Amino acid sequence: MQKLLMTTILLLSPALAAKNPSVITVAHAADWSTLDPAYCYENLCGEVLQNTLETLVFYQGISSDRFSGLLAQNVPTKQNGGISQDGKTYTFKLRKGLKFADGSPLTASDVEYSFKRLLVHNWGAAYLLSEALFGDTDGMSASGAIKFSDLNSAIQMVDPQTIVFKLKRPFAPFLAILATPYVGAVYSKQATIKAGGWDGTEASWLKANAQEDKDSIFQKTIPLGSGPYQLERYDVGQNIVLKRNPNYWRKPASVERVVLSNVQDPATRVQLFLNEDADFASIPASQYEHILHSDPTLKVSKPVPALGIDMLYMNQKISGQGTNILGSGQLDGKGIPSTFLSDVNVRKALAFSMDYSALVNDVLQKQAIQMNSVLIKGLYSKAGQKKYTYNKSKAIQHFKAAWDGKVWENGFVLPVYYNSGNPVRKATLEILKANVEALNPKFKIEVRDLPNSQIRAMRASGQMSLWAGNWAADYGDAYNFVQPLLHSSGTLAKTQSIKNPKVDQLIEQLSEETNSKARNVLLSSIEKIAFDEVLGLPTHQVINVEIQHPYLSGVVYNPVYPGYYYYTIKKQ
């Protein structure tokens, strides 16, 4: 998942006695794009879904790769018969007595409908489920390969307590995908149809498939769910109020209400926290010292690496149509050819031109670690072992070797991009610019900013050259990084024109391999090729910390959670 990430800390108000112990108040930095699980694909709406709807399985504590049954009685395995021996059939038995917030029963029919509706609308995270079930990331459409009959074959209600998924091939991260609310959220079929949603039939699926997110029936409300909280009020763009679900099938949530607010000014969020008017707040890491100085009783938790990677994307086949990115389009000191970044020596030269220590220590204030692989800490046991260093002589060596010496002899003008208002990405590119231009007076890098929407549009049409961005986990499995970033069909690999048949083969093997030792061997091979060939340039992995006071307890920081899971939290 792509996110406009800002390093944040969890701030918990420092008073010994909490204000209003029956309400948790949160100051977020943005508003909510949608409340529809068929369209939601970002942290803020994901947090709401995570607390109002539930999944078949859910993460154990802080683990990103261990699960417990939630709506399901247990986690299916080959040993307990829940997964077939060929790894292509998953059977889930639901818990008895499950209820929605209105007291109506939750059955396998609701589970079947929720997953089918996600695939039928084919927005948001639908491609994750489509890939798992059908081996197809394009998803359902009028002209697509997946038919409605395929949907019925892949997701089947056997009886009111049993749901079965039939995959076309084994897919190792399947349980991890089901655990995320972007894919696995279950809600009431009857209530959704009554509200005007897809009626669940083949006759109407194309109409639902053509519906855009702005036309969703759940733009301003939430489907009827079974989670510990339910929606009480939504002031569009301003506040969401969740209240405790009185019919929750487990022990009721400790805190009666959760108030989520959109507070865009960071100084205001800090002040709300310091005044004890916000229990949680999204705060830039640059405010750490100020917060701790304002209240020395606050304690900083053990740092936890975020499940995301910041990197420089390098397009090996740039479309210059309609832009001035290529300049002259030649290696004449006035531009670059469209395939400038296809020469591995250019990419290696840039990798050795980056001062990673300056980025981590000065720009990020040590709230990150150097990471030159998409296989990050928290998902890969050997993460961080392969590193580039800032090395002028190696950078010069590779620039001289690039394009048969023409790069060094003639020079170039390379525009590079970041999204407006992102100071870390701007600083990253300015470090690269200064170091590259110091090597040869004929080298010129132009750092340009654009709105994120424009970067996305240009990237999709192949018009970007080199840009700073990030990738964050959709679910807790390394496949969710190597496939989108390195496979030729991957979301961001395509935007960089990455095509390495050996890497593709290894990633496809990884998707089906369930043995952890065998998977690590595959990951090691993938990492080596990506590092040696500089298939994109990962730079750092952000470190998240919590600042917490004892009056809030039960806070679980799981790096895969979208926001927080308020069910476990107590306010005293």
mmCIF file of all heavy atoms in Angstrom, residues 362-405:
data_model
loop_
_atom_site.group_PDB
_atom_site.id
_atom_site.type_symbol
_atom_site.label_atom_id
_atom_site.label_comp_id
_atom_site.label_asym_id
_atom_site.label_seq_id
_atom_site.Cartn_x
_atom_site.Cartn_y
_atom_site.Cartn_z
ATOM 1 N N ASP A 362 20.751 13.078 10.361
ATOM 2 C CA ASP A 362 20.451 14.517 10.352
ATOM 3 C C ASP A 362 19.005 14.816 9.963
ATOM 4 O O ASP A 362 18.312 15.560 10.656
ATOM 5 C CB ASP A 362 21.408 15.236 9.395
ATOM 6 C CG ASP A 362 22.860 15.040 9.782
ATOM 7 O OD1 ASP A 362 23.128 14.784 10.975
ATOM 8 O OD2 ASP A 362 23.736 15.121 8.896
ATOM 9 N N VAL A 363 18.556 14.240 8.875
ATOM 10 C CA VAL A 363 17.203 14.532 8.401
ATOM 11 C C VAL A 363 16.156 13.832 9.268
ATOM 12 O O VAL A 363 15.173 14.442 9.695
ATOM 13 C CB VAL A 363 17.043 14.116 6.929
ATOM 14 C CG1 VAL A 363 15.605 14.340 6.457
ATOM 15 C CG2 VAL A 363 18.020 14.879 6.046
ATOM 16 N N LEU A 364 16.373 12.549 9.523
ATOM 17 C CA LEU A 364 15.381 11.749 10.248
ATOM 18 C C LEU A 364 15.649 11.679 11.751
ATOM 19 O O LEU A 364 14.919 11.007 12.477
ATOM 20 C CB LEU A 364 15.335 10.339 9.656
ATOM 21 C CG LEU A 364 14.785 10.288 8.231
ATOM 22 C CD1 LEU A 364 15.185 8.995 7.539
ATOM 23 C CD2 LEU A 364 13.283 10.453 8.221
ATOM 24 N N GLN A 365 16.699 12.350 12.203
ATOM 25 C CA GLN A 365 17.017 12.452 13.633
ATOM 26 C C GLN A 365 17.069 11.073 14.299
ATOM 27 O O GLN A 365 16.573 10.867 15.402
ATOM 28 C CB GLN A 365 15.998 13.357 14.342
ATOM 29 C CG GLN A 365 15.960 14.756 13.784
ATOM 30 C CD GLN A 365 14.940 15.652 14.464
ATOM 31 O OE1 GLN A 365 14.542 15.390 15.593
ATOM 32 N NE2 GLN A 365 14.523 16.704 13.788
ATOM 33 N N LYS A 366 17.647 10.119 13.586
ATOM 34 C CA LYS A 366 17.854 8.754 14.070
ATOM 35 C C LYS A 366 16.554 8.006 14.354
ATOM 36 O O LYS A 366 16.561 6.993 15.050
ATOM 37 C CB LYS A 366 18.747 8.750 15.308
ATOM 38 C CG LYS A 366 20.138 9.340 15.052
ATOM 39 C CD LYS A 366 21.012 9.282 16.297
ATOM 40 C CE LYS A 366 22.391 9.852 15.993
ATOM 41 N NZ LYS A 366 23.272 9.823 17.191
ATOM 42 N N GLN A 367 15.456 8.497 13.789
ATOM 43 C CA GLN A 367 14.172 7.799 13.927
ATOM 44 C C GLN A 367 13.911 6.890 12.730
ATOM 45 O O GLN A 367 12.776 6.688 12.308
ATOM 46 C CB GLN A 367 13.036 8.824 14.087
ATOM 47 C CG GLN A 367 13.170 9.717 15.304
ATOM 48 C CD GLN A 367 13.216 8.927 16.597
ATOM 49 O OE1 GLN A 367 12.474 7.966 16.764
ATOM 50 N NE2 GLN A 367 14.062 9.333 17.518
ATOM 51 N N ALA A 368 14.985 6.344 12.191
ATOM 52 C CA ALA A 368 14.909 5.409 11.066
ATOM 53 C C ALA A 368 16.213 4.637 11.026
ATOM 54 O O ALA A 368 17.188 4.996 11.690
ATOM 55 C CB ALA A 368 14.673 6.154 9.752
ATOM 56 N N ILE A 369 16.236 3.569 10.251
ATOM 57 C CA ILE A 369 17.449 2.798 10.033
ATOM 58 C C ILE A 369 17.703 2.696 8.542
ATOM 59 O O ILE A 369 16.765 2.649 7.751
ATOM 60 C CB ILE A 369 17.355 1.385 10.655
ATOM 61 C CG1 ILE A 369 16.064 0.675 10.199
ATOM 62 C CG2 ILE A 369 17.431 1.444 12.169
ATOM 63 C CD1 ILE A 369 15.921 -0.739 10.719
ATOM 64 N N GLN A 370 18.983 2.691 8.157
ATOM 65 C CA GLN A 370 19.303 2.509 6.748
ATOM 66 C C GLN A 370 18.806 1.146 6.300
ATOM 67 O O GLN A 370 19.022 0.131 6.963
ATOM 68 C CB GLN A 370 20.806 2.612 6.513
ATOM 69 C CG GLN A 370 21.210 2.424 5.051
ATOM 70 C CD GLN A 370 22.707 2.516 4.828
ATOM 71 O OE1 GLN A 370 23.441 3.021 5.681
ATOM 72 N NE2 GLN A 370 23.185 2.029 3.693
ATOM 73 N N MET A 371 18.123 1.111 5.173
ATOM 74 C CA MET A 371 17.593 -0.144 4.650
ATOM 75 C C MET A 371 17.660 -0.084 3.132
ATOM 76 O O MET A 371 16.915 0.673 2.506
ATOM 77 C CB MET A 371 16.156 -0.363 5.123
ATOM 78 C CG MET A 371 15.596 -1.727 4.786
ATOM 79 S SD MET A 371 16.468 -3.103 5.550
ATOM 80 C CE MET A 371 16.238 -2.724 7.296
ATOM 81 N N ASN A 372 18.569 -0.845 2.542
ATOM 82 C CA ASN A 372 18.750 -0.832 1.090
ATOM 83 C C ASN A 372 18.162 -2.062 0.419
ATOM 84 O O ASN A 372 18.603 -2.483 -0.640
ATOM 85 C CB ASN A 372 20.232 -0.701 0.745
ATOM 86 C CG ASN A 372 20.845 0.595 1.252
ATOM 87 O OD1 ASN A 372 21.918 0.594 1.826
ATOM 88 N ND2 ASN A 372 20.141 1.710 1.072
ATOM 89 N N SER A 373 17.142 -2.624 1.061
ATOM 90 C CA SER A 373 16.423 -3.772 0.522
ATOM 91 C C SER A 373 14.951 -3.597 0.831
ATOM 92 O O SER A 373 14.585 -3.021 1.867
ATOM 93 C CB SER A 373 16.948 -5.067 1.161
ATOM 94 O OG SER A 373 16.073 -6.154 0.900
ATOM 95 N N VAL A 374 14.093 -4.113 -0.045
ATOM 96 C CA VAL A 374 12.659 -4.054 0.239
ATOM 97 C C VAL A 374 12.268 -5.124 1.255
ATOM 98 O O VAL A 374 11.123 -5.150 1.718
ATOM 99 C CB VAL A 374 11.819 -4.222 -1.047
ATOM 100 C CG1 VAL A 374 12.164 -3.135 -2.049
ATOM 101 C CG2 VAL A 374 11.983 -5.609 -1.656
ATOM 102 N N LEU A 375 13.198 -6.004 1.597
ATOM 103 C CA LEU A 375 12.950 -7.017 2.631
ATOM 104 C C LEU A 375 13.360 -6.432 3.971
ATOM 105 O O LEU A 375 14.536 -6.400 4.329
ATOM 106 C CB LEU A 375 13.717 -8.297 2.306
ATOM 107 C CG LEU A 375 13.235 -8.989 1.031
ATOM 108 C CD1 LEU A 375 14.136 -10.153 0.662
ATOM 109 C CD2 LEU A 375 11.800 -9.465 1.188
ATOM 110 N N ILE A 376 12.378 -5.964 4.711
ATOM 111 C CA ILE A 376 12.610 -5.111 5.865
ATOM 112 C C ILE A 376 12.564 -5.884 7.183
ATOM 113 O O ILE A 376 12.130 -7.030 7.247
ATOM 114 C CB ILE A 376 11.556 -3.986 5.892
ATOM 115 C CG1 ILE A 376 10.147 -4.597 5.926
ATOM 116 C CG2 ILE A 376 11.739 -3.047 4.711
ATOM 117 C CD1 ILE A 376 9.040 -3.586 6.099
ATOM 118 N N LYS A 377 12.996 -5.204 8.237
ATOM 119 C CA LYS A 377 12.907 -5.777 9.576
ATOM 120 C C LYS A 377 11.433 -5.978 9.943
ATOM 121 O O LYS A 377 10.591 -5.146 9.656
ATOM 122 C CB LYS A 377 13.577 -4.854 10.597
ATOM 123 C CG LYS A 377 15.099 -4.850 10.515
ATOM 124 C CD LYS A 377 15.709 -4.038 11.629
ATOM 125 C CE LYS A 377 17.237 -4.055 11.549
ATOM 126 N NZ LYS A 377 17.799 -5.396 11.786
ATOM 127 N N GLY A 378 11.155 -7.089 10.576
ATOM 128 C CA GLY A 378 9.789 -7.441 10.928
ATOM 129 C C GLY A 378 9.176 -8.444 9.970
ATOM 130 O O GLY A 378 8.190 -9.093 10.291
ATOM 131 N N LEU A 379 9.805 -8.573 8.777
ATOM 132 C CA LEU A 379 9.298 -9.515 7.776
ATOM 133 C C LEU A 379 10.368 -10.469 7.259
ATOM 134 O O LEU A 379 10.046 -11.468 6.626
ATOM 135 C CB LEU A 379 8.688 -8.764 6.591
ATOM 136 C CG LEU A 379 7.439 -7.928 6.871
ATOM 137 C CD1 LEU A 379 6.986 -7.239 5.589
ATOM 138 C CD2 LEU A 379 6.311 -8.784 7.438
ATOM 139 N N TYR A 380 11.634 -10.151 7.540
ATOM 140 C CA TYR A 380 12.733 -10.943 6.988
ATOM 141 C C TYR A 380 13.860 -10.980 8.006
ATOM 142 O O TYR A 380 14.330 -9.932 8.459
ATOM 143 C CB TYR A 380 13.202 -10.323 5.671
ATOM 144 C CG TYR A 380 14.329 -11.051 4.981
ATOM 145 C CD1 TYR A 380 14.261 -12.415 4.728
ATOM 146 C CD2 TYR A 380 15.462 -10.363 4.558
ATOM 147 C CE1 TYR A 380 15.297 -13.076 4.074
ATOM 148 C CE2 TYR A 380 16.498 -11.002 3.892
ATOM 149 C CZ TYR A 380 16.415 -12.368 3.660
ATOM 150 O OH TYR A 380 17.438 -13.015 3.012
ATOM 151 N N SER A 381 14.299 -12.180 8.372
ATOM 152 C CA SER A 381 15.259 -12.341 9.467
ATOM 153 C C SER A 381 16.628 -11.739 9.168
ATOM 154 O O SER A 381 17.358 -11.360 10.083
ATOM 155 C CB SER A 381 15.414 -13.834 9.802
ATOM 156 O OG SER A 381 15.874 -14.563 8.671
ATOM 157 N N LYS A 382 16.996 -11.640 7.886
ATOM 158 C CA LYS A 382 18.318 -11.111 7.529
ATOM 159 C C LYS A 382 18.253 -9.658 7.069
ATOM 160 O O LYS A 382 19.191 -9.157 6.440
ATOM 161 C CB LYS A 382 18.940 -11.978 6.433
ATOM 162 C CG LYS A 382 19.191 -13.422 6.858
ATOM 163 C CD LYS A 382 19.803 -14.219 5.724
ATOM 164 C CE LYS A 382 20.051 -15.674 6.129
ATOM 165 N NZ LYS A 382 20.634 -16.465 5.016
ATOM 166 N N ALA A 383 17.170 -8.982 7.384
ATOM 167 C CA ALA A 383 16.980 -7.604 6.921
ATOM 168 C C ALA A 383 18.109 -6.701 7.397
ATOM 169 O O ALA A 383 18.574 -6.798 8.531
ATOM 170 C CB ALA A 383 15.642 -7.063 7.420
ATOM 171 N N GLY A 384 18.545 -5.822 6.508
ATOM 172 C CA GLY A 384 19.536 -4.815 6.861
ATOM 173 C C GLY A 384 20.976 -5.241 6.670
ATOM 174 O O GLY A 384 21.892 -4.450 6.922
ATOM 175 N N GLN A 385 21.208 -6.466 6.217
ATOM 176 C CA GLN A 385 22.589 -6.929 6.063
ATOM 177 C C GLN A 385 23.229 -6.427 4.775
ATOM 178 O O GLN A 385 24.449 -6.227 4.717
ATOM 179 C CB GLN A 385 22.633 -8.462 6.124
ATOM 180 C CG GLN A 385 22.265 -9.020 7.494
ATOM 181 C CD GLN A 385 22.412 -10.539 7.569
ATOM 182 O OE1 GLN A 385 22.983 -11.159 6.675
ATOM 183 N NE2 GLN A 385 21.890 -11.134 8.632
ATOM 184 N N LYS A 386 22.438 -6.228 3.741
ATOM 185 C CA LYS A 386 22.972 -5.715 2.475
ATOM 186 C C LYS A 386 22.828 -4.192 2.455
ATOM 187 O O LYS A 386 21.721 -3.670 2.532
ATOM 188 C CB LYS A 386 22.236 -6.328 1.281
ATOM 189 C CG LYS A 386 22.625 -7.784 1.017
ATOM 190 C CD LYS A 386 22.027 -8.276 -0.290
ATOM 191 C CE LYS A 386 22.539 -9.664 -0.634
ATOM 192 N NZ LYS A 386 23.987 -9.669 -0.955
ATOM 193 N N LYS A 387 23.966 -3.490 2.373
ATOM 194 C CA LYS A 387 23.928 -2.028 2.435
ATOM 195 C C LYS A 387 24.878 -1.423 1.409
ATOM 196 O O LYS A 387 25.972 -1.935 1.168
ATOM 197 C CB LYS A 387 24.332 -1.544 3.829
ATOM 198 C CG LYS A 387 23.342 -1.846 4.925
ATOM 199 C CD LYS A 387 23.814 -1.259 6.251
ATOM 200 C CE LYS A 387 22.816 -1.532 7.362
ATOM 201 N NZ LYS A 387 23.265 -0.971 8.662
ATOM 202 N N TYR A 388 24.436 -0.308 0.831
ATOM 203 C CA TYR A 388 25.321 0.541 0.061
ATOM 204 C C TYR A 388 25.963 1.547 1.013
ATOM 205 O O TYR A 388 25.436 1.804 2.103
ATOM 206 C CB TYR A 388 24.559 1.307 -1.020
ATOM 207 C CG TYR A 388 23.829 0.444 -2.015
ATOM 208 C CD1 TYR A 388 22.440 0.351 -1.993
ATOM 209 C CD2 TYR A 388 24.523 -0.279 -2.982
ATOM 210 C CE1 TYR A 388 21.764 -0.429 -2.908
ATOM 211 C CE2 TYR A 388 23.847 -1.066 -3.905
ATOM 212 C CZ TYR A 388 22.469 -1.138 -3.857
ATOM 213 O OH TYR A 388 21.805 -1.925 -4.755
ATOM 214 N N THR A 389 27.077 2.101 0.604
ATOM 215 C CA THR A 389 27.701 3.177 1.371
ATOM 216 C C THR A 389 27.904 4.380 0.455
ATOM 217 O O THR A 389 27.985 4.229 -0.777
ATOM 218 C CB THR A 389 29.062 2.741 1.933
ATOM 219 O OG1 THR A 389 29.904 2.302 0.852
ATOM 220 C CG2 THR A 389 28.897 1.605 2.950
ATOM 221 N N TYR A 390 27.972 5.547 1.072
ATOM 222 C CA TYR A 390 28.298 6.746 0.304
ATOM 223 C C TYR A 390 29.770 6.649 -0.062
ATOM 224 O O TYR A 390 30.654 6.712 0.796
ATOM 225 C CB TYR A 390 28.003 7.978 1.146
ATOM 226 C CG TYR A 390 28.457 9.284 0.532
ATOM 227 C CD1 TYR A 390 28.350 9.520 -0.841
ATOM 228 C CD2 TYR A 390 28.990 10.294 1.332
ATOM 229 C CE1 TYR A 390 28.754 10.714 -1.399
ATOM 230 C CE2 TYR A 390 29.392 11.504 0.787
ATOM 231 C CZ TYR A 390 29.281 11.707 -0.576
ATOM 232 O OH TYR A 390 29.685 12.890 -1.126
ATOM 233 N N ASN A 391 30.077 6.462 -1.368
ATOM 234 C CA ASN A 391 31.437 6.197 -1.807
ATOM 235 C C ASN A 391 31.687 6.926 -3.127
ATOM 236 O O ASN A 391 31.234 6.495 -4.191
ATOM 237 C CB ASN A 391 31.628 4.684 -1.973
ATOM 238 C CG ASN A 391 33.066 4.293 -2.221
ATOM 239 O OD1 ASN A 391 33.755 4.894 -3.040
ATOM 240 N ND2 ASN A 391 33.520 3.260 -1.503
ATOM 241 N N LYS A 392 32.402 8.039 -3.040
ATOM 242 C CA LYS A 392 32.623 8.872 -4.220
ATOM 243 C C LYS A 392 33.367 8.117 -5.324
ATOM 244 O O LYS A 392 33.027 8.225 -6.509
ATOM 245 C CB LYS A 392 33.414 10.122 -3.842
ATOM 246 C CG LYS A 392 32.648 11.103 -2.969
ATOM 247 C CD LYS A 392 33.512 12.327 -2.698
ATOM 248 C CE LYS A 392 32.804 13.338 -1.819
ATOM 249 N NZ LYS A 392 33.647 14.518 -1.530
ATOM 250 N N SER A 393 34.392 7.364 -4.946
ATOM 251 C CA SER A 393 35.196 6.698 -5.965
ATOM 252 C C SER A 393 34.389 5.643 -6.714
ATOM 253 O O SER A 393 34.518 5.501 -7.943
ATOM 254 C CB SER A 393 36.437 6.062 -5.332
ATOM 255 O OG SER A 393 36.075 5.080 -4.371
ATOM 256 N N LYS A 394 33.534 4.894 -5.999
ATOM 257 C CA LYS A 394 32.703 3.908 -6.679
ATOM 258 C C LYS A 394 31.638 4.582 -7.535
ATOM 259 O O LYS A 394 31.296 4.091 -8.611
ATOM 260 C CB LYS A 394 32.052 2.974 -5.650
ATOM 261 C CG LYS A 394 33.013 1.970 -5.039
ATOM 262 C CD LYS A 394 32.287 0.936 -4.199
ATOM 263 C CE LYS A 394 33.262 -0.112 -3.688
ATOM 264 N NZ LYS A 394 32.588 -1.164 -2.883
ATOM 265 N N ALA A 395 31.106 5.704 -7.056
ATOM 266 C CA ALA A 395 30.123 6.439 -7.850
ATOM 267 C C ALA A 395 30.753 6.906 -9.166
ATOM 268 O O ALA A 395 30.169 6.753 -10.250
ATOM 269 C CB ALA A 395 29.583 7.622 -7.061
ATOM 270 N N ILE A 396 31.968 7.448 -9.080
ATOM 271 C CA ILE A 396 32.673 7.909 -10.284
ATOM 272 C C ILE A 396 32.954 6.730 -11.216
ATOM 273 O O ILE A 396 32.772 6.814 -12.443
ATOM 274 C CB ILE A 396 33.988 8.620 -9.893
ATOM 275 C CG1 ILE A 396 33.669 9.965 -9.217
ATOM 276 C CG2 ILE A 396 34.876 8.833 -11.119
ATOM 277 C CD1 ILE A 396 34.889 10.649 -8.631
ATOM 278 N N GLN A 397 33.397 5.612 -10.636
ATOM 279 C CA GLN A 397 33.695 4.421 -11.427
ATOM 280 C C GLN A 397 32.491 3.984 -12.261
ATOM 281 O O GLN A 397 32.612 3.703 -13.463
ATOM 282 C CB GLN A 397 34.116 3.290 -10.488
ATOM 283 C CG GLN A 397 34.296 1.940 -11.162
ATOM 284 C CD GLN A 397 34.493 0.814 -10.153
ATOM 285 O OE1 GLN A 397 34.889 1.052 -9.017
ATOM 286 N NE2 GLN A 397 34.190 -0.406 -10.556
ATOM 287 N N HIS A 398 31.313 3.953 -11.632
ATOM 288 C CA HIS A 398 30.122 3.495 -12.350
ATOM 289 C C HIS A 398 29.601 4.547 -13.335
ATOM 290 O O HIS A 398 29.108 4.189 -14.410
ATOM 291 C CB HIS A 398 29.040 3.092 -11.354
ATOM 292 C CG HIS A 398 29.327 1.792 -10.671
ATOM 293 N ND1 HIS A 398 29.315 0.590 -11.337
ATOM 294 C CD2 HIS A 398 29.659 1.511 -9.384
ATOM 295 C CE1 HIS A 398 29.614 -0.388 -10.485
ATOM 296 N NE2 HIS A 398 29.834 0.146 -9.298
ATOM 297 N N PHE A 399 29.696 5.827 -12.984
ATOM 298 C CA PHE A 399 29.291 6.858 -13.945
ATOM 299 C C PHE A 399 30.189 6.818 -15.187
ATOM 300 O O PHE A 399 29.718 7.006 -16.315
ATOM 301 C CB PHE A 399 29.338 8.246 -13.307
ATOM 302 C CG PHE A 399 28.056 8.655 -12.631
ATOM 303 C CD1 PHE A 399 28.070 9.167 -11.340
ATOM 304 C CD2 PHE A 399 26.835 8.550 -13.290
ATOM 305 C CE1 PHE A 399 26.891 9.554 -10.706
ATOM 306 C CE2 PHE A 399 25.655 8.930 -12.673
ATOM 307 C CZ PHE A 399 25.683 9.432 -11.373
ATOM 308 N N LYS A 400 31.474 6.551 -14.992
ATOM 309 C CA LYS A 400 32.389 6.478 -16.144
ATOM 310 C C LYS A 400 32.089 5.264 -17.015
ATOM 311 O O LYS A 400 32.314 5.291 -18.236
ATOM 312 C CB LYS A 400 33.843 6.435 -15.660
ATOM 313 C CG LYS A 400 34.352 7.782 -15.157
ATOM 314 C CD LYS A 400 35.834 7.708 -14.783
ATOM 315 C CE LYS A 400 36.372 9.091 -14.420
ATOM 316 N NZ LYS A 400 37.818 9.050 -14.061
ATOM 317 N N ALA A 401 31.591 4.194 -16.397
ATOM 318 C CA ALA A 401 31.276 2.979 -17.157
ATOM 319 C C ALA A 401 29.924 3.053 -17.852
ATOM 320 O O ALA A 401 29.659 2.279 -18.779
ATOM 321 C CB ALA A 401 31.311 1.768 -16.229
ATOM 322 N N ALA A 402 29.076 3.982 -17.406
ATOM 323 C CA ALA A 402 27.705 4.041 -17.925
ATOM 324 C C ALA A 402 27.665 4.558 -19.357
ATOM 325 O O ALA A 402 28.382 5.487 -19.720
ATOM 326 C CB ALA A 402 26.870 4.949 -17.024
ATOM 327 N N TRP A 403 26.827 3.910 -20.157
ATOM 328 C CA TRP A 403 26.575 4.337 -21.537
ATOM 329 C C TRP A 403 27.892 4.524 -22.309
ATOM 330 O O TRP A 403 28.098 5.537 -22.986
ATOM 331 C CB TRP A 403 25.743 5.626 -21.560
ATOM 332 C CG TRP A 403 24.307 5.397 -21.156
ATOM 333 C CD1 TRP A 403 23.784 5.488 -19.903
ATOM 334 C CD2 TRP A 403 23.229 5.007 -22.000
ATOM 335 N NE1 TRP A 403 22.455 5.183 -19.889
ATOM 336 C CE2 TRP A 403 22.074 4.880 -21.183
ATOM 337 C CE3 TRP A 403 23.117 4.744 -23.378
ATOM 338 C CZ2 TRP A 403 20.840 4.502 -21.705
ATOM 339 C CZ3 TRP A 403 21.884 4.371 -23.888
ATOM 340 C CH2 TRP A 403 20.760 4.257 -23.046
ATOM 341 N N ASP A 404 28.783 3.547 -22.159
ATOM 342 C CA ASP A 404 30.062 3.540 -22.889
ATOM 343 C C ASP A 404 30.853 4.829 -22.695
ATOM 344 O O ASP A 404 31.526 5.325 -23.620
ATOM 345 C CB ASP A 404 29.820 3.308 -24.393
ATOM 346 C CG ASP A 404 29.205 1.948 -24.668
ATOM 347 O OD1 ASP A 404 29.566 0.987 -23.963
ATOM 348 O OD2 ASP A 404 28.348 1.854 -25.569
ATOM 349 N N GLY A 405 30.763 5.376 -21.489
ATOM 350 C CA GLY A 405 31.549 6.561 -21.170
ATOM 351 C C GLY A 405 30.888 7.874 -21.512
ATOM 352 O O GLY A 405 31.396 8.954 -21.140
#
